[in-house]
Amino acid sequence: MGPPRDAPRARAPCNGRTRLRAPTVPGSAMGEPSEPHGPRVRRRSRAPLGLPGRALRRDLSQLVCAVAGLLLGLLTPLVDAGPQVASDRVVSMLFTIGFGVISLASIIYSMLFLVVQFSASTFTPRLGLFRDEPIVWRAFAFTVGVFVFCITSALAVGARPEVSAAVPCAAMILTLVALALMRTLQMRAFASIQLGHVLSAIVDRAHHVFDALYERPYGGGAPPGPGPRAPTATAPAITVHWTGAAAVLQRIEVTALVRAAADHGGSVAFRVAPGVTLTRGAAIAEVTAGGAAEAALRTALGRALVTGVERTFDQDPELPLRLLADIALRALSPAVNDPATAVEALDRVEDLLARLVGRELDVGGFRDDAGRLRVTVPVPDWERYVRTAVDDVGYAAAGSAMVLRRLRDLLLRLARYAPASRRAVLEERLRWVERAGGGAFPLVWTPPPDG
C-alpha cells in the first residue's frame, strides 16, 4: 500500500522503502482454478524492480557459494608460484578443515533453533525477526562454499608430491572468514533474546513502514475512514471471493494492478487489507469492468495478491503495534507476571503512536496516469491504531498500578499534542484508566503530573 498520488504512478512500500512495483511474475499456484467469482491466486511473486524474493535469494546464495568453492578448489591447486608444501600434509589439513567447519556450522545452527524457540516463547510466537536476518543464511552459504573448496582442493591435489602454499593459505583465510560470520551469527542470536533489542528492532521496522506510507501531515477534520472507494462505473461491480486454502494476505502488488485496471477501463475496491487471514469463500474485492475486461482484471487481481502463512511488515503497518501489545500481554499474564516488561513495551507503543498522530492516515487510494482512482485498499485509521495498541493491554493491566500509570502517562502526552479531531479517542481511554486505577489502587493512585 502507499499514499494516494495525483502523480502518474502509484507507489507502495517494500522492506521499509517506497518503490515502484514491477509486474508480478507468477509463481506456484496457491488457489484452485478460476471459478466464476474466484481468480487463480499465486502464492509467491517476485519482489519489486525484478529483484528475487527472500527465499530465492537464500537459495541462490547457497548455490553461488558452492559453485565458487568448486571453481576455487579446482583452480587453486594449479598455482605453482611461491613455496611448495608436501601434498599429503595439505590433503589431510583440507579434509580436516572441511569436515570441521561443516560440523561446527551444524552444531551452531542446531543451538540457534533452541534460541529462536526460546525467544518466540518468551516474547510472542509471531516474532520472526531473527529468522529473517540475512546473516543467518549468508553464514550458512559461505560455510557450504568453504566445505566444497576444501574437499575439491583435496581431491584436485591428487598424487602430486608437492603443492603450492597458496592452497593451505586460502583454506585458512576462508576458515577465518567463516568463523567470523559464525561469531556474528551468535551475537545476533544472543541479542534476539534480549528485550531491548527485540523492541528496538520492531520499532525500527515500524518507522520504515510508517515513513513510506504516511508522508503527508494530518490536515484535520473528521477521522478518515477505511479509504476512498473506486468511482462508480457503468458496469456492475463483481465480488471476487477467495477460493484457496486459508492463508495470510501479505502484500498487494499495487502498481501492476493499477496498470491493469487502467488498461481494461475498470477499478478494484479491496475489502481486505494485508495482514488479514483469507478463508475459503471470503470476499476479497469488488471488480468493476465490462465484458471481457472483467475476466482479465480478475486474473490481474489474482496475480497481484501475495500470500503466506504469517503476517509481514511489508504492507502491514498495524503489525508492529500488534507485536508490542502481544509482548505486553504476555508479560502481564499470571504465568509471567512481569509488569516492568509491559511498561517497556508501552514506551515503544507511545513512540509509534506519537509518530502517527500528526500524519494523514487515509492513504488507501491509488490513481492511474490520468488521475482516475483505480484501486482502493482499506487502511487502519487512528482509532484502529489506538485500539490495537492500548485496549487489550489496558484491560489486562487492571491489576497492575505500574502499568496503569504508564498507560495514563502515554494517553496524557498524546492527547496534549494530538490534533483536536483525534483527542476524543485518547480521552475516552484516559477516563477509563483513571477510573480503573483510582478504584483498584486508591492509596497509591496519585493525580497525573502537570505539563
Side-chain angles (χ1 to χ4, degrees), residues 4 224-233 236-240 266-272 283-288 362-367 371-379:
R229 299 182 63 83
T232 303
I238 303 299
T239 301
V240 179
S267 61
V268 179
F270 278 93
R271 291 189 179 181
V272 295
I284 303 175
E286 293 181 357
V287 174
T288 303
D362 190 5
V363 295
F366 302 88
R367 302 177 183 274
R372 182 180 176 84
L373 190 62
R374 293 295 182 182
V375 177
T376 59
V377 181
V379 293

Side-chain angles (χ1 to χ4, degrees), residues 13-18 205 207-209 211-212 313-314:
C14 177
N15 299 331
R17 297 177 177 87
T18 303
R205 296 282 188 93
H207 286 177
H208 287 304
V209 175
D211 291 343
F313 287 90
D314 291 343

